[in-house]
Amino acid sequence: MFKKKGIALLTITLLVLSLIVTGCSSGGGKNEGTGSKKDEYSTAYSGEISTINYLTTATTSEFALAANLVDTLIDYDKYGVVQPCLATEWSVSEDKLVWTFKLRQGVKWYTYEGKEYAEVKAQDFVDSIKYILNPDNGSKTSNIVYGVIKNAEKYYNGEITDFSQVGVKAIDDYTLQYTLEKPIPYFLSMLTYVCFFPVNGQFLEEVGDKFGTDNVNFLYNGAYIMQTFEPQTKRVLVANENYWDKEHVYIKKLNYIYNKEAATLAPELFLRGDIDYADIPASVLDEWMKDPEKKDLIRPNRTNFYTYFYAFNFNPHFAAEFEPENWKIAVNNVNFRKSIFHALDRKAAMLTAEPYNPEYRLNNTITPKNFVDLNGTDYTLLNGLAEFSNTDSFNKDLALSYKEKAMAELQGKAKFPVKVLMPYNTGLTDWTNRAQVIEQQLENLLGTDYIDVVIEAYPPTGFLDATRRAGNYALMECNWGPDYADPETYTDPFVPDSNYNWPHMAEGYTEANGKTKYENMVNAAKSEYLDLEKRYTLFAEAEAFLIDQAFVIPYSVGGGGYSASRLNPFESPYSPFGVSSERFKGQKILDKPMNTEEFNEALKQWEKERAEALKKAAQ
């Protein structure tokens, strides 16, 4: 799942865009200087979505859009405290298996024209799960559902055909009940993820396969309605006038316009007053920092819990010219993987995105720090993970030592130099620069007699389908975001039915039961759901094994960098998992962008207030 937070929006005519591209003046846009309309927000995007069917997608740009169109049972406030949303109250049985939710009455579904379609009822959540558990619908989040809901996996696999045996029921119009396969301490935190969104079953039947293909074949019960959807041109979201909580929707219009050069043009567009948000790439950051006026317009971005890592592909499906069979031989040698693991200078790579404080973003494990803790000890400091958490993986001497071992073991088996196909997304300037840095850095350290790093450019639209999901890479920068508050969520990219790097296909790790050692370690952790200490410890051991065997190279956390924005980042809903943090509800447009000093002061105040809010919520 390629997860990249920060969808862009922009209200500007195509004529203005063409003038900007050709270097002409537009004569002033929507905003003059740093002022802006108080109820309209705009930004640009370069990668088009392929669907808004939230029941099938697992891509951030797609479910982030749906998050503003459809409400969930619960939500999070700006401090990360659970709040009622479509559910007004809930309870769990003594054995922790049955969760009961009372729904808010009077909430309606609306068409894209704002016409009332039906009332939101408990059956909508049942219909959603039934759709997701039908393999023919191709939901990419079905595993999350059948991993927790009673009999859901059996129904998904066709072992049972009576859906009434699945643990989701509408007790009445406003009472929803989930029965779990086993006690799940983090179940509540899962409910803002797309697989637990509601859907109107009657509408699903009416539109069939067209559901979510555009703004017309879609129903809305959230803060916004997508008024306009013109792929590779623009999207326009307007505030839902009939929304149940409309007094907390301050931005009345969200404008998204497509521009394949958005990543490059955004800073200039922001200066012109045409958009309200722009990432400031490292290529121009120095110029902005040295300009007194521009410097006052930018601020650091908050880091988040998306984890970035370089994955070795054990199931190569790329063109013959890149020698997939030779790669397969090399990548199955642990010393070959470890040579690259220790040769990748992550700080040098991060300088392409964060030249002023690169260590701020670096992360040495798959699960980020401060995600969960065990009695005050951070998860990343448990058992073998502590060794990696506190150590930089970049080590020239170790890299060269493992190279020597790998060449000796692969002599007569693999052809040197081994071609290392590494695709990148041209829509992201930082990634484009980083691919070039890594290519040069790895080849300079390990030698072109050993590896030949081949970087290949792909356009933003359809990038994942063309690369990672197709197995069309040898080494690739990937990322993952958490879906709920448990270390298990960070194991999902590495399970057999995922389409990341297929580590279960690595040679030499299969155990007596036919599963790999990592699979068995993860399954042992998953089966421990009452003793939290044992559960976390087992997950930590599995993750430490994954890193130690160099199946992946942990790289960084998401967020960070710098942006120019007319939003206060401390007003948005806060949650490491689910879709809450993607919502514009509750946010207001600033009179002027927040600068670095203001950001640091606001962050300090937010951290203080959050600690108090969490303490109060725990009472």
Side-chain angles (χ1 to χ4, degrees):
M1 172 166 51
F2 180 74
K3 295 187 169 185
K4 174 80 169 68
K5 187 178 178 193
I7 298 182
L9 312 140
L10 145 77
T11 182
I12 183 173
T13 66
L14 292 176
L15 174 61
V16 171
L17 274 176
S18 64
L19 288 172
I20 289 170
V21 171
T22 56
C24 300
S25 171
S26 68
K30 172 177 70 71
N31 306 314
E32 295 297 334
T34 58
S36 64
K37 289 184 179 180
K38 297 290 286 185
D39 62 353
E40 189 169 327
Y41 181 80
S42 307
T43 187
Y45 69 98
S46 61
E48 188 56 86
I49 61 173
S50 59
T51 183
I52 51 173
N53 183 349
Y54 50 86
L55 301 179
T56 61
T57 187
T59 302
T60 304
S61 59
E62 294 169 351
F63 70 61
L65 184 62
N68 290 288
L69 311 176
V70 181
D71 270 2
T72 44
L73 286 168
I74 57 120
D75 212 342
Y76 290 88
D77 66 11
K78 63 181 181 179
Y79 302 118
V81 176
V82 174
Q83 301 293 315
C85 191
L86 291 181
T88 56
E89 58 181 281
W90 51 87
S91 60
V92 61
S93 62
E94 192 172 334
D95 62 5
K96 310 297 183 185
L97 290 175
V98 181
W99 288 76
T100 304
F101 296 85
K102 292 292 184 180
L103 267 58
R104 189 179 303 277
Q105 298 186 27
V107 178
K108 304 295 176 61
W109 289 107
Y110 296 93
T111 68
Y112 81 105
E113 296 173 318
K115 296 179 180 179
E116 182 181 323
Y117 182 88
E119 187 172 5
V120 176
K121 296 183 178 180
Q123 185 62 36
D124 297 337
F125 293 87
V126 178
D127 291 340
S128 169
I129 297 296
K130 187 173 184 179
Y131 180 96
I132 287 170
L133 293 179
N134 181 348
D136 292 340
N137 292 325
S139 172
K140 296 181 178 66
T141 58
S142 58
N143 63 308
I144 296 175
V145 172
Y146 67 61
V148 296
I149 301 297
K150 184 178 180 180
N151 287 332
E153 187 168 14
K154 291 180 180 178
Y155 183 84
Y156 182 84
N157 291 330
E159 296 173 28
I160 60 173
T161 56
D162 182 0
F163 186 75
S164 67
Q165 295 181 40
V166 177
V168 55
K169 289 180 172 57
I171 305 303
D172 56 44
D173 283 350
Y174 306 109
T175 307
L176 172 68
Q177 191 175 88
Y178 291 108
T179 300
L180 308 184
E181 196 72 56
K182 56 184 179 291
I184 302 293
Y186 53 86
F187 181 67
L188 198 64
S189 73
M190 302 177 74
L191 298 180
T192 62
Y193 199 48
V194 284
C195 53
F196 288 99
F197 275 32
V199 71
N200 183 277
Q202 179 181 326
F203 186 79
L204 267 183
E205 288 186 14
E206 287 180 9
V207 300
D209 292 341
K210 292 182 179 179
F211 179 72
T213 56
D214 56 27
N215 61 320
V216 176
N217 293 288
F218 196 90
L219 286 184
Y220 308 81
N221 69 11
Y224 293 91
I225 289 174
M226 195 189 305
Q227 187 180 69
T228 304
F229 178 47
E230 299 175 10
Q232 296 194 333
T233 303
K234 64 181 177 179
R235 304 192 292 260
V236 179
L237 276 61
V238 295
N240 181 354
E241 295 178 356
N242 299 301
Y243 183 53
W244 66 271
D245 196 24
K246 63 181 180 181
E247 62 267 27
H248 292 115
V249 180
Y250 306 110
I251 303 175
K252 302 303 181 183
K253 192 174 185 181
L254 304 171
N255 300 288
Y256 303 57
I257 200 161
Y258 173 83
N259 186 326
K260 64 180 181 180
E261 303 297 333
T264 303
L265 291 175
E268 180 61 28
L269 292 174
F270 186 88
L271 289 175
R272 296 171 61 89
D274 291 321
I275 62 174
D276 299 303
Y277 179 90
D279 280 314
I280 308 302
S283 58
V284 299
L285 181 58
D286 199 46
E287 177 210 334
W288 280 57
M289 284 293 196
K290 291 177 180 178
D291 184 309
E293 292 185 8
K294 291 180 180 179
K295 182 178 181 181
D296 200 45
L297 299 177
I298 62 174
R299 60 165 173 81
N301 293 324
R302 300 167 77 177
T303 58
N304 56 44
F305 291 92
Y306 290 80
T307 183
Y308 287 72
F309 51 90
Y310 284 84
F312 291 97
N313 181 12
F314 293 91
N315 187 28
H317 284 84
F318 41 80
E321 63 181 297
F322 303 121
E323 302 172 356
E325 291 304 315
N326 194 56
W327 169 257
K328 195 170 185 178
I329 295 169
V331 77
N332 275 291
N333 181 280
V334 65
N335 288 318
F336 177 80
R337 299 196 304 271
K338 286 189 174 186
S339 68
I340 297 177
F341 179 96
H342 289 294
L344 180 58
D345 187 342
R346 300 176 310 144
K347 182 178 177 180
M350 181 53 68
L351 285 170
T352 60
E354 175 50 274
Y356 287 89
N357 186 16
E359 289 86 355
Y360 176 59
R361 290 269 309 277
L362 294 182
N363 187 50
N364 300 341
T365 51
I366 298 299
T367 305
K369 292 182 178 179
N370 302 316
F371 178 64
V372 290
D373 69 272
L374 183 63
N375 302 322
T377 299
D378 191 78
Y379 168 78
T380 63
L381 296 177
L382 297 178
N383 285 38
L385 269 188
E387 175 187 348
F388 299 104
S389 183
N390 296 322
T391 306
D392 186 356
S393 59
F394 177 56
N395 187 310
K396 293 182 180 180
D397 292 337
L398 281 176
L400 294 173
S401 174
Y402 283 120
K403 170 191 172 181
E404 185 178 342
K405 293 177 182 177
M407 291 193 78
E409 292 170 354
L410 292 171
Q411 187 175 9
K413 300 176 182 177
K415 183 178 72 171
F416 290 99
V418 176
K419 289 187 177 180
V420 184
L421 178 63
M422 190 169 70
Y424 64 90
N425 186 333
T426 58
L428 302 172
T429 304
D430 297 346
W431 196 347
T432 300
N433 294 337
R434 187 158 52 253
Q436 296 170 9
V437 168
I438 290 174
E439 175 191 20
Q440 295 170 11
Q441 187 261 315
L442 285 178
E443 289 184 348
N444 288 342
L445 175 55
L446 292 175
T448 52
D449 63 320
Y450 184 60
I451 56 171
D452 174 14
V453 180
V454 182
I455 60 175
E456 191 169 28
Y458 283 84
T461 300
F463 174 76
L464 287 180
D465 287 334
T467 57
R468 197 204 74 214
R469 291 170 182 160
N472 185 20
Y473 74 95
L475 180 69
M476 181 173 170
E477 180 180 319
C478 302
N479 64 16
W480 182 262
D483 301 320
Y484 45 87
D486 190 83
E488 179 182 342
T489 189
Y490 286 102
T491 68
D492 287 346
F494 313 113
V495 296
D497 59 354
S498 180
N499 56 14
Y500 270 70
N501 65 329
W502 300 275
H504 65 287
M505 297 181 70
E507 298 172 3
Y509 293 95
T510 303
E511 297 192 318
N513 64 350
K515 299 181 183 297
T516 67
K517 184 173 181 178
Y518 175 74
E519 287 180 82
N520 286 328
M521 294 175 81
V522 167
N523 289 338
K526 288 181 178 180
S527 65
E528 184 51 67
Y529 47 84
L530 292 178
D531 186 337
L532 205 61
E533 181 175 355
K534 186 176 180 182
R535 179 183 178 86
Y536 282 15
T537 298
L538 289 173
F539 273 122
E541 291 174 352
E543 183 172 335
F545 174 80
L546 188 79
I547 299 170
D548 177 67
Q549 294 300 299
F551 288 107
V552 292
I553 308 172
Y555 171 52
S556 73
V557 290
Y562 294 82
S563 64
S565 174
R566 292 189 177 90
L567 291 182
N568 179 348
F570 305 104
E571 288 181 344
S572 66
Y574 180 77
S575 175
F577 26 77
V579 303
S580 291
S581 61
E582 307 290 351
R583 289 181 168 137
F584 284 89
K585 176 181 172 180
Q587 299 188 69
K588 300 174 184 177
I589 295 179
L590 299 170
D591 290 329
K592 61 178 288 295
M594 181 182 288
N595 62 30
T596 298
E597 183 179 348
E598 292 166 338
F599 173 87
N600 290 333
E601 290 177 359
L603 175 60
K604 188 180 299 184
Q605 181 64 26
W606 177 84
E607 289 176 337
K608 179 182 177 182
E609 292 174 357
R610 180 172 187 253
E612 295 171 353
L614 292 176
K615 184 177 180 181
K616 183 178 180 181
Q619 292 176 350

